[in-house]
């Protein structure tokens, strides 16, 4: 008998399944996905960026979760021997309006506790000679990873090591019904 059913074999579904297995050891769990392998949609087709959270409103839940998620992702990758790179991200202003927006983003980043560096036009040209811009912001904590590899590592504990979890691929979920169990 199953206690939990997670629909979706992407990063959110697999992370949810892993947390359920940790929170309820011995529970029966299945992950359903309509595709024949994991991470076939958004997770497998995104840019692979580990975002720093520079765009979110200061103090917001999104800002806090993004920073915490970035650190958790990097820790998970290190613990599971998944290659990732903390290469940073360069945001570029190409006109006067965008320069003013960079001022706001720079302040927002500092308020959210994100280390970043303001770059003038000369420094931008020195760092990236093929970019034409008036200036920018460098965010050193931004990284990149192959999220398919992260999904593969997250699915291992769900179906292995004696866990009562499994994944069923190439299965559509056509209906969800709620019923009361006796007892």
């Amino acid at each position: 008998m199953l206690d939990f059913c997670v629909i979706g074999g992407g990063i959110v579904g697999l992370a949810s399944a892993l947390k359920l297995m940790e929170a309820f050891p011995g529970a029966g769990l299945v992950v359903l996905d309509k595709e024949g392998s994991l991470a076939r949609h958004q997770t497998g087709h995104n840019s692979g960026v580990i975002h720093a959270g520079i765009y979110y409103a200061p103090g917001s839940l999104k800002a806090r979760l993004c920073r915490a998620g970035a650190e958790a992702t990097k820790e998970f990758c290190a613990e599971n021997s998944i290659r990732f790179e903390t290469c940073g991200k360069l945001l570029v202003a190409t006109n006067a309006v965008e320069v003013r927006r960079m001022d706001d983003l720079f302040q927002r980043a500092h308020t959210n506790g994100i280390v970043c560096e303001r770059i003038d036009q000369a420094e931008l040209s020195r760092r990236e000679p093929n970019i034409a811009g008036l200036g920018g912001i460098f965010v050193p904590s931004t990284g990149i990873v192959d999220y398919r590899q992260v999904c593969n590592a997250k699915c291992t504990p769900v179906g292995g090591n004696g866990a009562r979890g499994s994944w069923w691929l190439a299965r559509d979920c056509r209906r969800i019904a709620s019923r009361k169990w006796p007892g």
Side-chain angles (χ1 to χ4, degrees), residues 15-26 29 76 154 157:
S16 299
L18 189 56
K19 286 296 182 187
L20 284 167
M21 296 300 286
E22 290 171 0
F24 302 97
L29 178 141
F76 183 85
K154 285 191 179 292

Side-chain angles (χ1 to χ4, degrees), residues 2-170:
L2 296 170
D3 300 297
F4 299 102
C5 175
V6 175
I7 301 171
I11 192 79
V12 173
L14 292 170
S16 299
L18 189 56
K19 286 296 182 187
L20 284 167
M21 296 300 286
E22 290 171 0
F24 302 97
L29 178 141
V30 64
V31 176
L32 299 178
D33 197 278
K34 67 181 177 179
E35 300 298 340
S37 61
L38 300 171
R40 291 283 304 269
H41 288 278
Q42 181 63 34
T43 299
H45 292 95
N46 69 28
S47 61
V49 174
I50 303 170
H51 292 280
I54 190 169
Y55 298 108
Y56 299 122
S60 68
L61 180 61
K62 280 186 176 183
R64 291 193 313 272
L65 290 177
C66 189
R67 279 194 328 275
E71 290 308 310
T73 298
K74 292 174 186 177
E75 287 174 20
F76 183 85
C77 289
E79 291 167 2
N80 290 276
S81 302
I82 299 170
R83 188 178 164 280
F84 71 96
E85 182 181 351
T86 305
C87 53
K89 171 169 64 175
L90 185 59
L91 306 170
V92 178
T94 59
N95 60 49
V97 171
E98 290 177 352
V99 169
R100 287 190 298 278
R101 288 184 187 146
M102 290 290 164
D103 292 335
D104 292 339
L105 273 178
F106 187 75
Q107 183 57 47
R108 180 177 286 192
H110 279 286
T111 303
N112 280 332
I114 300 166
V115 174
C116 61
E117 178 185 357
R118 198 59 206 253
I119 308 261
D120 64 16
Q121 189 172 17
E123 181 62 15
L124 178 62
S125 294
R126 187 190 72 71
R127 289 187 188 194
E128 295 292 341
N130 295 318
I131 293 180
L134 301 177
I137 299 172
F138 179 66
V139 186
S141 61
T142 298
I144 53 173
V145 68
D146 181 346
Y147 281 108
R148 285 185 183 142
Q149 290 181 9
V150 175
C151 282
N152 288 336
K154 285 191 179 292
C155 79
T156 301
V158 172
N161 299 327
R164 290 186 46 221
S166 61
W167 49 93
W168 297 346
L169 301 175

